[in-house]
């Protein structure tokens, strides 16, 4: 991948952990629907042939030296994209659940609205996407929690189909949650007065492998993410107050 | 009661010796051994100096001395474990940043190599 030259250069990143069965199709589909856009698969130390399959399908691969978890993996992609000078980065999951045909719409929304983040959302319009019972309960719960924090409803806060611009990249390369990053990342952005939009997308059921969010882990997930939201709100409010004090003292 | 205090004396001596041996063999870094040594020494002194332990006991208002000693030791170790969690968290942060940097540098390196090959 060379340094991008166009002012609205796009990179598609795909975090992957043991996705050898799906990753080839995912990469091929992305290349088909957004031709000419580089695809970067970030491999979180898979024990299968994910790396080889991704290269075979025409993706660039960033292999991590050891397992970092989804957030650390995505952040590595953001860091590299920022260093290479990309203006926009769209993250697509490596399990084939996201439809690459939606990528151009997310990209358009990023460019036309100028907002920092665009979420591919499975709930904005009723588009026939189906979700498990535990998952939808969790999503509904976090929608309630996030409403007052974000000042706006986010329909699909756990979506991994997320596009960001360079301003958000600059924030995320410095601070990004390590585990279950999606919801916390939203709070990180909101605290900096950044804007996000949602675009309705189709979400396919998993065809291979298993979701990392199993019913058993969901309690851990909920507590973990709630704490993350709480910590981020406190952290930024304190920083904001300090900045206001300093401004008050200076002026 | 005295027998219990003898047991804690023995335990603190064992702890002291273990920490000292580990430091000498470089199994534990000196900066992390200090808090263990202090804790073991404090436990040793309290188990032997009965008047001191009694004073502490009266201060807290507990019925007997060994219980006081165990509670104190428990509290100290809790604080130490918490400190370790903080240290581990810092290590983890540094380690993540490092792993990401290694991956990105390797990526750049490989690109440079393939460029060179194309030019040659
Ligand atoms: N790097 C990394 N990727 C992961 C990890 N767990 C899951 N993934 C990837 O993250 C994406 C979404 O994971 P998935 O389990 O499908 O989550 P869900 O779609 O939200 O239920 C997929 O591309 C997985 O390969 C992990 O521990 N590390
Ligand atoms: Mg998935």
């Amino acid at each position: 991948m060379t340094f991008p030259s166009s002012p609205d250069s796009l990179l598609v990143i795909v975090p992957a952990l043991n996705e050898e069965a799906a990753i080839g199709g995912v990469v091929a589909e992305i290349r088909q629907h957004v031709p000419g856009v580089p695809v970067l698969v970030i491999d979180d130390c898979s024990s299968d042939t994910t790396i080889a399959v991704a290269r075979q399908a025409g993706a660039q691969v960033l292999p991590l030296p050891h397992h970092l978890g989804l957030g650390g993996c995505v952040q590595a992609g953001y860091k590299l994209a920022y260093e290479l000078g990309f203006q926009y980065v769209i993250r697509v999951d490596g399990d084939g659940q996201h439809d690459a045909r939606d990528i151009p719409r997310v990209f358009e929304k990023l460019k036309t609205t100028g907002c920092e983040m665009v979420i591919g959302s499975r709930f904005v319009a009723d588009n026939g996407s189906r979700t498990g019972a535990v998952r939808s309960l969790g999503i509904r719960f976090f929608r309630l929690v996030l409403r007052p924090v974000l000042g706006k409803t986010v329909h699909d806060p756990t979506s991994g189909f997320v596009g960001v611009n360079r301003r958000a990249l600059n924030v995320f390369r410095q601070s990004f949650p390590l585990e279950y990053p999606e919801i916390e990342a939203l709070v990180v952005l909101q605290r900096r007065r950044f804007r996000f939009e949602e675009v309705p997308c189709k979400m396919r059921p998993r065809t291979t492998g298993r979701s990392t969010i199993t019913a058993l882990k969901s309690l851990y997930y909920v507590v973990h993410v709630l704490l993350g939201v709480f910590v981020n709100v406190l952290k930024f409010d304190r920083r904001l107050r300090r900045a206001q004090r300093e401004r008050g003292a200076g002026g | 009661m005295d027998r219990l205090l003898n047991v804690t004396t023995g335990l603190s001596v064992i702890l002291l010796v273990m920490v000292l041996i580990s430091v000498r063999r470089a199994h534990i870094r000196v900066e992390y051994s200090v808090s263990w040594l202090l804790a073991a020494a404090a436990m040793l002194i309290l188990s032997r100096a009965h008047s001191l332990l009694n004073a502490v006991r009266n201060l807290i208002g507990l019925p007997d001395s060994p219980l006081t000693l165990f509670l104190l030791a428990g509290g100290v170790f809790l604080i130490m474990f918490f400190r370790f969690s903080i240290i581990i968290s810092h290590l983890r942060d540094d380690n993540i940043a490092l792993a990401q940097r290694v991956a990105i540098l390797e990526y750049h390196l490989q690109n440079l190599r393939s460029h060179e090959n194309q030019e040659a």
Side-chain angles (χ1 to χ4, degrees):
Chain A
M1 190 161 32
T2 48
F3 289 87
S5 46
S6 87
D8 40 285
S9 48
L10 170 67
L11 173 69
V12 174
I13 63 170
V14 186
L17 175 66
N18 297 332
E19 298 283 6
E20 64 177 2
I23 196 76
V26 170
V27 172
E29 214 182 282
I30 296 169
R31 290 177 30 125
Q32 182 193 337
H33 292 289
V34 276
V37 170
V39 182
L40 178 72
V41 171
I42 309 143
D43 178 73
D44 201 5
C45 237
S46 298
S47 54
D48 64 4
T49 58
T50 298
I51 294 181
V53 176
R55 285 219 173 96
Q56 189 76 45
Q60 307 270 331
V61 178
L62 180 66
L64 296 176
H66 60 75
H67 186 78
L68 287 189
L70 185 54
C73 188
V74 171
Q75 192 187 31
Y78 285 159
K79 284 184 176 178
L80 180 59
Y82 188 88
E83 280 174 27
L84 291 175
F86 282 95
Q87 297 298 319
Y88 299 97
V89 174
I90 296 179
R91 172 193 151 193
V92 177
D93 276 354
D95 54 6
Q97 285 192 277
H98 300 148
D99 194 332
R101 269 172 295 192
D102 291 325
I103 295 176
R105 291 218 325 282
V106 171
F107 189 33
E108 270 312 304
K109 194 88 175 176
L110 273 173
K111 282 193 293 187
T112 53
T113 61
C115 66
E116 279 77 15
M117 185 191 255
V118 171
I119 304 169
S121 171
R122 72 196 98 174
F123 301 116
V124 168
D126 192 8
N127 55 11
S129 297
R130 292 193 25 233
T131 321
V134 179
R135 180 69 169 260
S136 9
L137 200 72
I139 289 173
R140 233 174 285 156
F141 172 71
F142 277 111
R143 236 187 259 164
L144 278 179
V145 171
L146 287 173
R147 234 228 84 109
V149 175
L150 302 178
K152 155 177 181 186
T153 301
V154 46
H155 295 86
D156 194 0
T158 65
S159 172
F161 195 0
V162 172
V164 294
N165 70 6
R166 198 165 167 81
R167 277 194 300 278
L169 268 190
N170 189 29
V171 170
F172 287 156
R173 81 190 165 98
Q174 299 166 61
S175 142
F176 200 69
L178 181 60
E179 278 181 326
Y180 316 127
E182 293 86 4
I183 291 178
E184 260 185 71
L186 265 172
V187 178
V188 170
L189 273 195
Q190 198 278 335
R191 293 286 122 181
R192 290 167 198 264
R193 305 275 176 274
F194 284 4
R195 290 167 308 138
F196 67 89
E197 293 280 340
E198 284 183 279
V199 166
C201 288
K202 268 223 151 50
M203 206 73 68
R204 292 179 284 218
R206 238 177 195 281
T207 48
T208 66
R210 293 178 47 208
S211 168
T212 39
I213 304 176
T214 57
L216 218 133
K217 280 195 204 157
S218 35
L219 183 69
Y220 175 72
Y221 175 90
V222 167
V223 174
H224 187 300
V225 175
L226 268 182
L227 264 177
V229 168
F230 178 68
V231 165
N232 275 297
V233 169
L234 281 188
K235 197 161 70 184
F236 283 96
D237 283 359
R238 213 176 52 209
R239 207 176 290 172
L240 212 70
R241 270 205 301 279
R242 198 185 312 143
Q244 272 165 359
R245 252 207 322 277
E246 275 161 19
R247 221 176 299 141
Chain B
M1 182 163 126
D2 274 348
R3 223 191 296 154
L4 248 176
L5 285 180
N6 285 338
V7 170
T8 55
T9 308
L11 282 179
S12 31
V13 169
I14 292 175
L15 184 58
L16 260 177
V17 172
M18 256 172 49
V19 174
L20 284 175
I21 291 177
S22 304
V23 174
R24 211 186 77 87
R25 292 190 184 156
H27 288 168
I28 180 172
R29 295 187 62 86
V30 177
E31 58 266 35
Y32 296 136
S33 70
V34 173
S35 44
W36 284 113
L37 286 176
L38 284 181
M43 210 162 99
L44 185 60
I45 291 169
L46 281 177
S47 336
R48 290 293 81 186
H50 290 209
S51 52
L52 189 61
L53 187 57
N54 276 334
V56 174
R57 190 197 76 188
N58 287 334
L59 201 70
I60 310 179
L62 282 174
D64 69 69
S65 297
L67 184 63
T68 311
L69 189 54
F70 278 118
L71 268 183
L72 277 180
V76 168
F77 287 133
L78 218 62
I79 291 172
M80 284 173 65
F81 288 140
F82 189 69
R83 236 189 91 226
F84 289 145
S85 292
I86 293 175
I87 293 169
I88 291 172
S89 300
H90 278 300
L91 280 176
R92 179 87 175 122
D93 283 345
D94 294 348
N95 168 276
I96 290 164
L98 208 60
Q100 290 172 334
R101 184 86 343 237
V102 167
I104 290 173
L105 285 180
E106 255 176 7
Y107 179 88
H108 288 318
L109 196 66
Q110 213 156 48
N111 265 10
L112 278 180
R113 282 220 190 100
S114 58
H115 265 283
E116 245 171 33
N117 286 347
Q118 275 165 18
E119 274 162 29

